[in-house]
Amino acid sequence: MRGEALALAHGAATIVNAMATKKGAAFGVDLYTKAQVKLTSEPQIIETEITSDLEESSVLIQKTVTTILKHLNLEKEFGAKIRTWSNIPIARGLKSSSTVTNAVVLATLNALDETLEDLDIIKLGVSAAFEAKVTLTGAFDDACASYFGGLVITDNLNNKLIKQDMLTENYVILFQVPPKKFYTINTDISNLLVFKPQIETAYNMVLNGFPWEALTLNGQCYSTAFGFNTKVATDALAAGAKAAGLCGKGPTTTAVVSKDYVEQVKAVWQTYEGEIIQTKLNHEKAKVLT
């Protein structure tokens, strides 16, 4: 047994949010979370440090490690000390939960010198997210996009990966990130039923090879349902973005932009409160670093 490991998982962004239909789609982006796990001989004692946000709750990380130890019948043998590093803002719809669970699961398994199939690793993280009450759908789509990179289409109700694909275009990904946190568990989904047919249409668009058109349609539906400002996305589209829409449950907005229009989109977004994050598509799998 190694006793210690460091793992990395990349970020992800929404194409179709699974809250309305339990079917989703997402894609990998070049943001990251690293997790270092050190096993201890103190069972059921899980110590955590979220270095990028020291005031953030560590319940998800604790539940993730506990879920793995229980899965392997080792909860009475080990505790753990976990540190995480990330450039993904927490509770902004940017898949920070899915990314950290992937990194923590990988690091914990490696510290234990255990291996599992990729989808089993992802499902352990999804189970932990449900336990920690940080998800309404299990976020299996987000977790798959973070773990595998590229484009993923999923059935979240049955934790089934329907399709994976490469995204060959060289787009820049921009995020307009408002300063205020917005937690998934507080999301009011009562208005989503009105938009269910449109969100079904968006899902079918992804299946038929039109992910960016689906992202825009999905974003307009969810922004309206949740009461977010749709003008953030429409301003980006007017400035030349290929696609733009709400990421996850918000409040962040994603824009998919060719290099020629990056500065124009940034310029119109400068008028909104918060920060702009620039990144690119990711196709790398989550991995153990040491």
Side-chain angles (χ1 to χ4, degrees):
M1 187 186 72
R2 299 187 62 206
E4 181 178 341
L6 176 68
L8 176 147
H10 289 96
T14 299
I15 297 176
V16 177
N17 187 320
M19 285 184 185
T21 66
K22 304 299 187 290
K23 295 180 291 186
F27 65 99
V29 299
D30 194 25
L31 302 175
Y32 72 86
T33 296
K34 296 177 183 178
Q36 180 187 56
V37 175
K38 294 182 180 180
L39 300 176
T40 72
S41 57
E42 300 178 285
Q44 300 179 13
I45 296 178
I46 310 294
E47 299 179 23
T48 62
E49 181 183 356
I50 303 172
T51 62
S52 57
D53 192 341
L54 295 174
E55 296 182 356
E56 182 61 32
S57 169
S58 62
V59 170
L60 175 60
I61 294 172
Q62 294 170 349
K63 292 287 187 184
T64 302
V65 175
T66 301
T67 296
I68 299 161
L69 292 173
K70 285 182 177 178
H71 180 77
L72 298 170
N73 295 314
L74 295 172
E75 72 273 22
K76 295 182 180 178
E77 292 188 40
F78 299 109
K81 295 181 179 180
I82 305 102
R83 295 183 73 200
T84 64
W85 301 262
S86 183
N87 62 359
I88 303 173
I90 294 173
R92 307 297 205 289
L94 278 171
K95 323 307 180 191
S96 59
S97 296
S98 294
T99 309
V100 76
T101 52
N102 282 339
V104 170
V105 172
L106 267 180
T108 305
L109 287 172
N110 201 257
L112 291 163
D113 216 7
E114 296 280 351
T115 58
L116 292 172
E117 296 294 326
D118 290 334
L119 286 175
D120 291 330
I121 290 171
I122 292 168
K123 288 173 184 178
L124 278 175
V126 168
S127 177
F130 271 125
E131 285 276 327
K133 295 181 171 60
V134 300
T135 179
L136 297 176
T137 70
F140 183 69
D141 49 345
D142 300 338
C144 285
S146 165
Y147 189 90
F148 292 116
L151 168 69
V152 300
I153 305 173
T154 63
D155 171 356
N156 283 25
L157 187 63
N158 297 298
N159 283 348
K160 185 176 180 181
L161 181 57
I162 304 297
K163 185 178 180 180
Q164 287 179 263
D165 209 350
M166 295 282 287
L167 294 167
T168 57
E169 306 100 325
N170 191 25
Y171 286 122
V172 173
I173 308 302
L174 298 176
F175 296 110
Q176 198 285 320
V177 187
K180 188 176 180 181
K181 293 181 177 181
F182 184 70
Y183 292 95
T184 300
I185 200 65
N186 297 325
T187 303
D188 180 1
I189 63 172
S190 59
N191 290 328
L192 282 182
L193 189 61
V194 177
F195 295 98
K196 191 173 180 180
Q198 289 86 352
I199 296 165
E200 286 275 9
T201 297
Y203 184 80
N204 289 326
M205 289 165 73
V206 189
L207 286 172
N208 290 313
F210 298 96
W212 306 133
E213 292 82 357
L215 186 157
T216 300
L217 175 58
N218 172 86
Q220 289 291 315
C221 292
Y222 277 91
S223 288
T224 304
F226 294 160
F228 290 117
N229 186 1
T230 59
K231 197 171 184 296
V232 183
T234 55
D235 280 354
L237 293 168
K242 171 70 174 177
L246 195 70
C247 194
K249 48 63 178 144
T252 292
T253 297
T254 306
V256 180
V257 190
S258 68
K259 290 181 179 179
D260 294 339
Y261 294 100
V262 169
E263 295 308 316
Q264 289 94 314
V265 174
K266 282 184 174 180
V268 298
W269 274 1
Q270 293 289 352
T271 61
Y272 293 99
E273 189 179 9
E275 66 173 317
I276 299 170
I277 295 175
Q278 179 174 333
T279 187
K280 59 184 179 180
L281 299 170
N282 174 64
H283 289 94
E284 290 186 10
K285 279 179 64 174
K287 59 189 176 183
V288 174
L289 299 175
T290 59

